[in-house]
């Protein structure tokens, strides 16, 4: 029979309509006029199981989670939340037994006369929904019977006695508040649901592993694509994907957690005749009382519950210095002063190495784990000056001071420190926070100060400038556009010819002419003094060299730039020409630019255009006498010409001989002199 049908039978027993079994697996329920408003119809056909619904399609399914089950639970909670089964006198009500035997740790025990009264016992029926991920399973769970006066579990067999509506001559014991009973009942429900919760946890763990593996593959692929696409610049994009990955993992972990939602449906109560005896225990100046009871049905032994832990019939009792009785497990004798106290009055067991008792005066509570310890097995947290037990206290890995787990800060995983696999425990004074990653903690030796903004940064979130090797956080470093070097804001520069590019300061130089910044692609060095000049103020020389405007000039023949040292003035036209465009005149042996020399043999334009002159200048005459002091010439032997640098004269010496002299305009001295004959020519100067 389904759980819903059993609930429906209890509801009908309370006067909630009629229930009739029409056929096997098919029931008919008539709520009656008073209860019809909870169900919305006058007659309902119910199929007990999903298999029965195939046989009776017109019926409704009476299983948890169905519409009828929700209506029935709502009706019970409104009209039948408490089911009172009356008074039950068991078959052992007339038989007696001896007085209970109580062993007191120290002191005396005094028992009173026995008396009889009705003991309220009951059990709680709840509707439980176990949720794991997308799966939800519904159950109706009933606790075992509990003593509603003390909260202890009892064994009750309802068929052993007869119910009666009135208590008769025996008094009725008061039941404690439901809020004090619920913790023990919920613990019993948790134990009864353990198989369902365990199965749900196993299924949820399997689905969670599958979902987390899918997320890892998805985000892992995205990160690999970003690294392949952006290379070294993918750090920020990768961090964003990693944050999304962690968020989605946290969502799946939360979604697949197993939880159980309980809805109390009905409290079933009955009264059983019980026999009571009161025990007064005295230990020196302290004394207290406990009450023992024996049920008239079920086990006939005396049951005395510990008022502190509700354990039934402990083997040893003790009297707390606070003036009440408790079991031996709830009290401890202080190892320092010998005083006996229960846990409620501050006494307890030191959880240090000794495991001895300790009273409220000598007990200390660990702020981290909540355990009790004595002064010997504990200490003070140096960070916030409070007590902590010896098992919780640890030392700061940086300075060695004592700290508790509550105030110990664990360092973050550090990928750039392969020598340290485990996290470090640090006190608040030694902890350093990486400002580039909020909440990431490091040891003092694992962070450095950003030279731009002055905050602490770890090795994972910092970089060194390639110019001066100074440390900077990731927010204040960037890579240059050409060489991909890491530079800080102070060492960034721009080329005046390509201002959109970011470069390092050692990748640009100032033009010695105009002062503009230029990179290596737009900067050249002068051959003369190696000074840098931008491309606007640089000229290309033959052979791949460059020069500034001050140390180069154009060749007069073709106009290409040439070193000043390689240029020589042409005596004919006065312009400067390079060595490539200079030739020697066969007549006067002067070096002439190629545009002013022609013919074969090569003769300069001045020598080619010499004209007879009977009265040469005195400078020519004086120059010739310096070469030939005894030579006498007639006036018709002279041919004279003039160009930019010299007076040129050709003198006929007779017999096929002649001499050509060139006298400088400024010095009026012979700079060149050549004697020509039949056989050969001779350079005189």
């Amino acid at each position: 029979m389904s759980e819903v049908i059993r609930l429906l039978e209890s509801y009908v027993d309370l006067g909630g309509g009629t229930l009739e079994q029409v056929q096997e697996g098919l029931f008919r329920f008539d709520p009656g006029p008073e209860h019809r408003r909870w169900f919305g119809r006058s007659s309902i056909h119910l199929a007990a199981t999903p298999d029965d619904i195939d046989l009776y399609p017109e019926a409704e399914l009476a299983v948890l989670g169905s519409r009828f089950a929700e209506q029935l639970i709502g009706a019970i909670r409104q009209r039948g939340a408490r089911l009172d089964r009356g008074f039950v006198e068991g078959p052992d009500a007339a038989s007696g037994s001896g007085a209970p035997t109580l062993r007191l740790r120290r002191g005396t025990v005094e028992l009173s006369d026995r008396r009889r009264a009705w003991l309220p016992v009951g059990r709680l029926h709840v509707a439980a929904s176990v949720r794991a991920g997308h799966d939800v399973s519904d159950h109706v769970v009933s606790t075992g019977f509990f003593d509603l006066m003390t909260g202890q579990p009892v064994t009750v067999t309802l068929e052993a006695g007869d119910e009666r509506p009135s208590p008769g001559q025996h008094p009725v014991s008061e039941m404690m508040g439901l809020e004090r009973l619920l913790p023990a009942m919920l613990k019993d429900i948790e134990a009864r649901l353990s198989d369902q919760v365990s199965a749900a946890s196993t299924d949820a763990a399997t689905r969670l592993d599958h979902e987390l593996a899918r997320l890892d593959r998805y985000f892992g692929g995205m990160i690999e694509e970003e690294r392949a696409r952006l290379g070294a610049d993918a750090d920020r994009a990768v961090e964003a994907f990693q944050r999304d990955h962690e968020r989605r993992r946290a969502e799946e972990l939360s979604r697949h957690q197993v939880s159980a939602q309980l809805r109390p449906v009905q409290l079933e109560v009955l009264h059983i005749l019980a026999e009571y005896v009161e025990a007064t225990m005295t230990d020196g100046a302290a004394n207290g009382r406990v009450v023992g009871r024996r049920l008239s049905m079920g086990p006939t032994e005396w049951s005395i519950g510990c008022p502190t832990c509700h354990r039934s019939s402990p083997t040893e009792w003790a009297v707390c210095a606070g003036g009440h009785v408790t079991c031996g497990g709830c009290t401890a004798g202080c190892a320092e002063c010998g005083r006996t106290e229960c846990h409620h009055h501050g006494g307890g067991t030191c959880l240090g190495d000794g495991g001895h008792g300790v009273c409220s005066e000598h007990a200390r509570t660990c702020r981290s784990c909540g355990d009790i310890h004595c002064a010997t097995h504990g200490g003070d947290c140096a960070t916030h000056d409070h007590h902590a037990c010896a098992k919780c206290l640890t030392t700061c890995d940086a300075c060695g001071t004592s700290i508790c787990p509550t105030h110990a800060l664990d360092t973050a995983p550090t990928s750039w420190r392969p020598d340290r696999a485990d996290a470090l425990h640090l006190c608040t004074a030694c902890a350093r926070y990486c400002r580039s990653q909020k909440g990431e903690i490091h040891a003092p030796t694992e962070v450095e100060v950003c030279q731009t903004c002055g905050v602490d940064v770890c090795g994972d979130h910092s970089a060194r400038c390639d110019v001066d090797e100074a440390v900077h956080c990731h927010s204040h470093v960037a890579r240059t556009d050409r060489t991909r070097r890491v530079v800080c804001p102070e060492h960034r520069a721009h080329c005046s010819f390509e201002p959109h590019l970011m470069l390092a300061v050692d990748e640009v130089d100032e033009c010695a002419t105009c002062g503009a910044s230029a990179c290596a692609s737009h900067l050249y060095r002068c051959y003369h003094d190696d000074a840098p000049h931008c491309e606007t103020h640089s000229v290309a020389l033959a052979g791949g060299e460059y020069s500034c405007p001050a140390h180069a000039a154009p060749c007069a023949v073709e106009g290409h730039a040439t070193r000043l040292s390689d240029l020589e003035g042409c005596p004919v036209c006065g312009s400067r020409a390079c060595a490539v465009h200079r030739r020697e005149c066969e007549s006067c042996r002067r070096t002439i630019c190629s545009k002013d020399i022609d013919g074969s043999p090569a003769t300069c334009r001045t020598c080619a255009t010499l004209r007879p002159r009977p009265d040469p200048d005195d400078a020519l005459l004086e120059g010739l006498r310096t070469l030939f002091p005894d030579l006498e010439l007639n006036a018709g032997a002279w041919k004279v010409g003039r160009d930019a640098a010299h007076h040129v004269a050709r003198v006929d010496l007779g017999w096929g001989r002649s001499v050509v002299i060139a006298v400088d305009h400024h010095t009026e001295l012979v700079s060149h002199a050549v004697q020509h004959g039949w056989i050969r020519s001779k350079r005189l100067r």
Side-chain angles (χ1 to χ4, degrees):
M1 187 180 298
S2 69
E3 297 172 331
V4 175
I5 296 298
R6 284 196 294 269
L7 276 180
L8 183 58
E9 289 178 345
S10 299
Y11 183 75
V12 171
D13 290 343
L14 292 173
T18 60
L19 179 65
E20 175 188 1
Q21 184 171 1
V22 180
Q23 298 180 27
E24 184 179 357
L26 179 64
F27 297 83
R28 178 179 176 178
F29 171 58
D30 296 325
E34 296 182 3
H35 302 269
R36 190 171 300 166
R37 65 190 183 94
W38 302 106
F39 301 94
R41 45 213 186 274
S42 59
S43 179
I44 307 171
H45 285 82
L46 300 171
T49 63
D51 294 335
D52 296 330
I53 199 68
D54 296 333
L55 301 175
Y56 313 108
E58 72 281 358
E60 295 186 26
L61 188 61
V63 295
L64 290 172
S66 65
R67 175 193 175 197
F68 176 77
E70 294 298 319
Q71 292 173 340
L72 176 61
I73 291 173
I76 293 175
R77 297 185 67 179
Q78 292 292 328
R79 296 295 304 274
R82 173 168 171 166
L83 173 61
D84 199 334
R85 293 198 176 275
F87 300 85
V88 178
E89 184 175 347
D92 300 325
S95 63
S97 63
T101 302
L102 303 176
R103 188 170 72 89
L104 186 62
R105 178 184 298 169
R106 188 175 59 192
T108 60
V109 180
E110 201 175 314
L111 297 177
S112 67
D113 295 334
R114 290 177 286 179
R115 59 183 177 85
R116 290 189 176 185
W118 293 104
L119 175 69
V121 299
R123 60 182 176 181
L124 182 66
H125 305 284
V126 299
S129 297
V130 179
R131 180 183 299 274
H134 294 297
D135 296 338
V136 179
S137 59
D138 296 310
H139 310 274
V140 173
V141 184
S142 299
T143 67
F145 280 97
F146 283 83
D147 181 346
L148 300 183
M149 190 175 71
T150 62
Q152 297 177 2
V154 295
T155 302
V156 173
T157 306
L158 293 179
E159 293 77 5
D162 299 326
E163 299 177 5
R164 63 182 184 179
S166 63
Q169 62 179 350
H170 301 297
V172 179
S173 301
E174 293 290 333
M175 61 180 289
M176 67 170 60
L178 191 59
E179 68 279 358
R180 297 176 59 187
L181 294 169
L182 276 179
M185 290 183 170
L186 291 178
K187 189 174 182 180
D188 183 76
I189 292 173
E190 182 179 354
R192 296 175 185 272
L193 280 175
S194 60
D195 292 341
Q196 291 86 344
V197 172
S198 177
S201 299
T202 302
D203 293 342
T206 302
R207 291 192 297 269
L208 177 62
D209 292 341
H210 175 75
E211 189 64 22
L212 293 181
R214 185 187 66 82
L215 290 176
D216 293 342
R217 290 193 302 271
Y218 174 76
F219 282 100
M222 296 288 287
I223 290 174
E224 289 181 2
E225 290 181 4
E226 287 299 304
R227 290 194 185 281
R229 186 171 65 90
L230 300 177
D233 295 332
D235 292 344
R236 293 185 179 179
V238 168
E239 287 182 4
F241 281 123
Q242 290 174 344
R243 287 193 297 269
D244 287 343
H245 189 193
E246 293 173 359
R247 178 182 58 81
R248 288 287 294 114
R249 285 182 64 91
E251 290 176 355
E252 292 302 324
L253 289 172
S254 176
R255 189 167 65 87
H256 285 84
Q257 284 184 347
V258 180
S259 62
Q261 181 182 12
L262 304 180
R263 289 185 295 166
V265 177
Q266 188 179 65
L267 178 64
E268 184 179 353
V269 181
L270 70 152
H271 293 76
I272 299 175
L273 190 62
E275 190 173 14
Y276 293 89
V277 66
E278 187 175 279
T280 302
M281 302 182 185
T282 304
D283 180 9
N287 62 79
R289 296 180 302 171
V290 290
V291 177
R293 56 126 173 96
R294 185 186 69 85
L295 298 181
S296 62
M297 59 187 304
T300 59
E301 293 81 10
W302 286 95
S303 175
I304 304 178
C306 173
T308 302
C309 66
H310 303 292
R311 185 168 52 177
S312 178
S313 301
T315 58
E316 184 183 48
W317 295 87
V319 181
C320 174
H324 68 93
V325 178
T326 181
C327 69
C330 293
T331 58
C334 181
E336 298 190 19
C337 64
R339 184 180 180 181
T340 300
E341 282 186 344
C342 70
H343 300 317
H344 285 304
H345 288 102
T349 302
C350 175
L351 297 180
D353 296 335
H356 54 77
V358 60
C359 66
S360 58
E361 182 179 352
H362 298 99
R364 297 181 177 184
T365 302
C366 178
R367 285 271 298 273
S368 297
C369 64
D371 291 340
I372 296 174
H373 64 277
C374 63
T376 305
H377 297 108
D380 294 330
C381 174
T383 303
H384 285 74
D385 193 21
H386 65 83
H387 300 305
C389 65
K391 69 178 183 179
C392 289
L393 280 177
T394 184
T395 56
C396 174
D397 290 329
C399 64
T401 58
S402 296
I403 50 176
C404 67
T406 304
H407 299 115
L409 302 174
D410 292 338
T411 57
T414 311
S415 60
W416 55 278
R417 288 291 302 273
D419 58 321
R420 177 171 67 74
D422 299 329
L424 300 178
H425 302 287
L426 304 175
C427 63
T428 54
C430 295
R432 298 292 185 269
Y433 293 86
C434 177
R435 302 301 180 183
S436 294
Q437 187 75 11
K438 186 177 180 181
E440 193 172 275
I441 301 173
H442 295 272
T445 57
E446 296 178 350
V447 297
E448 294 188 70
V449 178
C450 173
Q451 298 303 309
T452 301
C453 60
V455 302
D456 292 336
V457 286
C458 67
D460 279 341
H461 302 103
S462 64
R464 292 186 179 274
C465 176
D466 287 335
V467 177
D468 61 356
E469 294 296 322
V471 175
H472 300 269
C473 63
H474 280 175
S475 302
H476 295 109
V477 292
R479 292 190 177 274
T480 58
D481 291 319
R482 282 183 177 163
T483 59
R484 311 306 299 164
R485 296 168 66 201
V486 177
V487 291
C488 64
E490 182 183 355
H491 296 108
R492 297 175 192 173
H494 297 275
C495 176
S496 300
F497 297 90
E498 292 183 275
H500 61 283
L501 297 180
M502 185 178 66
L503 306 169
V505 292
D506 56 1
E507 295 175 350
V508 299
D509 210 338
E510 287 188 0
C511 175
T513 303
C514 64
S517 296
C519 64
S521 299
H522 304 281
L523 191 76
Y524 306 97
R525 294 191 174 274
C526 178
Y527 75 93
H528 179 74
D529 53 8
D530 203 37
H533 295 270
C534 65
E535 63 181 19
T536 304
H537 299 99
S538 298
V539 291
L541 304 179
E545 292 183 316
Y546 288 87
S547 173
C548 63
H551 297 111
C555 173
V557 178
E558 291 188 356
H560 59 272
T562 308
R563 290 186 179 193
L564 291 180
S565 58
D566 292 342
L567 291 175
E568 190 174 312
C570 176
V572 176
C573 61
S575 61
R576 293 181 295 181
C578 64
V580 176
H581 297 100
R582 296 197 306 268
R583 296 174 62 187
E584 188 180 69
C585 176
E586 296 291 337
S587 174
C588 61
R589 298 296 174 89
R590 293 181 302 168
T591 302
I592 311 298
C593 66
S594 58
K595 67 178 181 178
D596 290 324
I597 193 169
D598 198 7
S600 181
T603 305
C604 67
R605 189 171 57 188
T606 303
C607 293
T609 57
L610 293 177
R611 297 178 179 276
R613 186 173 181 181
D615 53 345
D617 293 339
D618 294 339
L620 293 175
L621 293 173
E622 186 65 27
L624 187 61
R625 289 193 185 99
T626 59
L627 297 175
F628 303 98
D630 301 329
L631 182 65
E632 291 187 10
L633 301 173
N634 56 39
W638 291 83
K639 289 186 177 181
V640 180
R642 181 186 177 92
D643 52 25
H646 301 97
H647 277 101
V648 181
R650 184 182 182 90
V651 181
D652 187 3
L653 300 180
W655 299 99
R657 295 175 301 127
S658 64
V659 62
V660 178
I661 62 173
V663 178
D664 189 273
H665 289 320
H666 301 288
T667 62
E668 294 187 349
L669 298 175
V670 177
S671 61
H672 295 80
V674 181
Q675 184 176 351
H676 298 281
W678 287 103
I679 300 174
R680 61 185 180 88
S681 297
K682 178 182 179 183
R683 186 163 189 164
L684 303 177
R685 185 172 296 179

